[in-house]
Amino acid sequence: MAKTSQSLRRAALLASAVAVLGSLTACGTAHRTETASRQLSATGGATRCHTSELRASVGRTDPGAGQRNLPVVLTNVSSRSCTLHGHPGAAFVDASGRRLGPDPERTPDAPATVTLAPGESAWAGLRYASPEVSGARAATPAALLVTPPDERESLRVRWTAGEVPVGGNAASVYLTALAAGSGP
């Protein structure tokens, strides 16, 4: 009889453990579902912006202390809300599409997710030392290619801001993470 009693006790403990694990799993699933629902409602159910849904532009040059600063703006031209997260890609090109100098370096700032309703914009700061001050080898691009985060296709923006550094010790060009709005 002692063996039967011990077997029943083990079976009861096993059943209790399974019940506890089942309820914990259900709680975890409910929490994950609730978290996902909150994230979707926070972005209005928006998904990532695609290149075809955006227009790129470059804002006015803001010179200062031997530097040039320009906002690179991505505007949602679609009929739905979408999100951008991180740094855009960028490259200076000549009239034939050949790259001029290295691609801009990404700044280490922490990226945030920006939700764009139709017609809204996000911007990233493009900055570099003025070539005439830094002594870097310079060229005047025909365009700036702007690639939205997580996309492969670029948007071409006519470049009107003059020379950019393309070589030498002071040739670094920097690009910040995207933020809501159209510039500082």
Side-chain angles (χ1 to χ4, degrees):
M1 285 296 207
K3 269 189 162 179
T4 305
S5 174
Q6 196 175 36
S7 296
L8 284 174
R9 220 176 298 136
R10 282 187 184 154
L13 282 172
L14 181 60
S16 296
V18 168
V20 167
L21 286 174
S23 65
L24 287 175
T25 302
C27 288
T29 302
H31 174 71
R32 282 192 299 274
T33 303
E34 181 182 323
T35 301
S37 295
R38 267 186 286 160
Q39 288 171 341
L40 278 176
S41 65
T43 61
T47 58
R48 179 170 59 88
C49 298
H50 298 285
T51 304
S52 63
E53 299 172 306
L54 299 167
R55 182 184 75 237
S57 60
V58 176
R60 166 182 79 74
T61 303
D62 183 18
Q67 283 195 335
R68 292 190 184 148
N69 303 287
L70 301 104
V72 175
V73 181
L74 291 171
T75 302
N76 181 358
V77 295
S78 75
S79 59
R80 70 176 187 96
S81 291
C82 60
T83 62
L84 294 170
H85 180 84
H87 293 75
F92 294 108
V93 295
D94 64 15
S96 66
R98 187 177 52 94
R99 288 183 185 234
L100 301 173
D103 291 346
E105 297 177 34
R106 293 177 172 181
T107 59
D109 40 281
T113 299
V114 180
T115 301
L116 302 178
E120 291 184 337
S121 301
W123 70 283
L126 181 72
R127 80 169 188 272
Y128 53 90
S130 299
E132 55 274 355
V133 173
S134 70
R137 189 167 48 84
T140 302
L144 177 69
L145 300 181
V146 179
T147 308
D150 301 317
E151 289 289 301
R152 294 183 186 265
E153 291 182 47
S154 298
L155 298 162
R156 186 180 179 95
V157 180
R158 191 168 69 92
W159 185 258
T160 60
E163 289 186 322
V164 299
V166 295
N169 291 337
S172 293
V173 177
Y174 299 94
L175 194 59
T176 67
L178 288 160
S182 58

